[in-house]
């Protein structure tokens, strides 16, 4: 049988079809084996670790065959318990493989203290960013008569006047006393001076 006749014969088509079927079966078996060996499709959902202690994190991740790495502590955040998780990576809900490490940051035990900066005679616009850069917050604003409009005249904390260098905890609210810009110079008259005696010109 010539090659042309063989390629157009029924035997060739049957053999070609059988080869295609065999190739498809082998491809399926290979993909199934690959999925099994690489654990493809078996993913773990990262839990929410916020506000858990390090021990609780370890127990929870052990149950899921995950691990964790403690990076460091962050400035105290009053919304979270002391020594609890504040940040994590990957985020809750992420899909990861077995054995994946979750990186966490722990809340500090409390606010650290900062020194009160020199805000006297600074403007309100200068004072507020300075406070925020130190982790402090703007408290009550009070105005009193003074030539300097919006100029800081006093700094107070819980009713107590603060001096430059005093220490307060971060996140404290610092009250500011500002000038209202309405006071003006008034020439003072010396009321205690003795009136000058006037001598008439025709006196003898």
């Amino acid at each position: 049988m010539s090659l042309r006749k063989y390629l157009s014969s029924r035997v060739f088509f049957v053999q070609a079809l059988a080869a295609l079927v065999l190739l498809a079966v082998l491809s399926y078996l290979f993909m199934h084996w690959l999925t099994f060996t690489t654990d493809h499709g078996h993913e773990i959902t990262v839990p929410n670790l916020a506000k858990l202690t390090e021990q609780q994190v370890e127990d929870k991740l052990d149950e899921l065959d995950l691990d964790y790495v403690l990076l460091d502590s962050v400035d105290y955040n009053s919304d979270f318990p002391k020594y609890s998780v504040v940040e994590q990576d990957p985020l809750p809900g992420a899909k990861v493989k077995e054995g994946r490490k979750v990186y966490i940051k722990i809340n500090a035990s409390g606010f650290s203290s900062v020194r009160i900066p020199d805000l006297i005679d600074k403007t309100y616009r200068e004072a507020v960013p300075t406070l925020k850069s130190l982790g402090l917050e703007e408290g009550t604003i009070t105005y009193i008569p003074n030539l300097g409009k919006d100029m800081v005249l006093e700094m107070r904390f819980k009713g107590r006047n603060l001096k430059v260098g005093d220490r307060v905890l971060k996140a404290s609210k610092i009250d500011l006393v500002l000038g209202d810009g309405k006071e003006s110079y008034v020439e003072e008259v010396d009321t205690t001076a003795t009136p000058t005696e006037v001598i008439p010109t025709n006196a003898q």
Side-chain angles (χ1 to χ4, degrees), residues 35-161:
T35 299
F36 177 78
T37 56
T38 59
D39 202 26
H40 180 72
H42 180 64
E43 296 179 320
I44 302 171
T45 302
V46 177
N48 186 359
L49 304 176
K51 300 184 178 181
L52 298 183
T53 64
E54 187 176 355
Q55 184 60 52
Q56 290 173 326
V57 168
E58 183 176 357
D59 294 341
K60 191 160 192 171
L61 294 184
D62 280 347
E63 295 175 358
L64 299 173
D65 292 324
L66 297 176
D67 199 358
Y68 78 96
V69 175
L70 175 60
L71 295 179
D72 53 24
S73 61
V74 299
D75 286 342
Y76 181 68
N77 186 333
S78 59
D79 293 332
F80 293 81
K82 297 178 181 180
Y83 305 114
S84 69
V85 175
V86 176
E87 299 177 21
Q88 71 177 84
D89 181 35
L91 295 174
K95 302 292 185 179
V96 297
K97 295 291 183 63
E98 180 180 330
R100 171 66 186 271
K101 294 179 179 179
V102 180
Y103 298 88
I104 62 173
K105 291 185 178 181
I106 298 292
N107 198 19
S109 61
F111 289 117
S112 57
S113 64
V114 294
R115 291 184 182 277
I116 291 295
D118 187 2
L119 302 179
I120 302 301
D121 293 337
K122 303 289 186 183
T123 65
Y124 171 77
R125 288 188 176 184
E126 293 174 318
V128 172
T130 301
L131 290 175
K132 290 184 177 180
S133 68
L134 296 172
L136 301 173
E137 298 181 14
E138 172 190 346
T140 303
I141 303 300
T142 306
Y143 287 91
I144 62 175
N146 189 272
L147 284 173
K149 182 172 175 57
D150 291 330
M151 182 178 293
V152 177
L153 304 176
E154 296 177 19
M155 301 175 291
R156 297 174 180 172
F157 177 63
K158 295 183 177 179
R160 175 175 60 89
N161 281 358

Side-chain angles (χ1 to χ4, degrees), residues 132-195:
K132 290 184 177 180
S133 68
L134 296 172
L136 301 173
E137 298 181 14
E138 172 190 346
T140 303
I141 303 300
T142 306
Y143 287 91
I144 62 175
N146 189 272
L147 284 173
K149 182 172 175 57
D150 291 330
M151 182 178 293
V152 177
L153 304 176
E154 296 177 19
M155 301 175 291
R156 297 174 180 172
F157 177 63
K158 295 183 177 179
R160 175 175 60 89
N161 281 358
L162 294 172
K163 301 187 299 293
V164 177
D166 286 348
R167 283 192 170 275
V168 296
L169 294 178
K170 277 189 177 182
S172 296
K173 291 186 177 182
I174 306 302
D175 301 328
L176 299 176
V177 179
L178 308 178
D180 60 8
K182 295 180 180 179
E183 185 178 86
S184 59
Y185 284 112
V186 177
E187 184 176 354
E188 295 184 357
V189 178
D190 187 357
T191 57
T192 62
T194 303

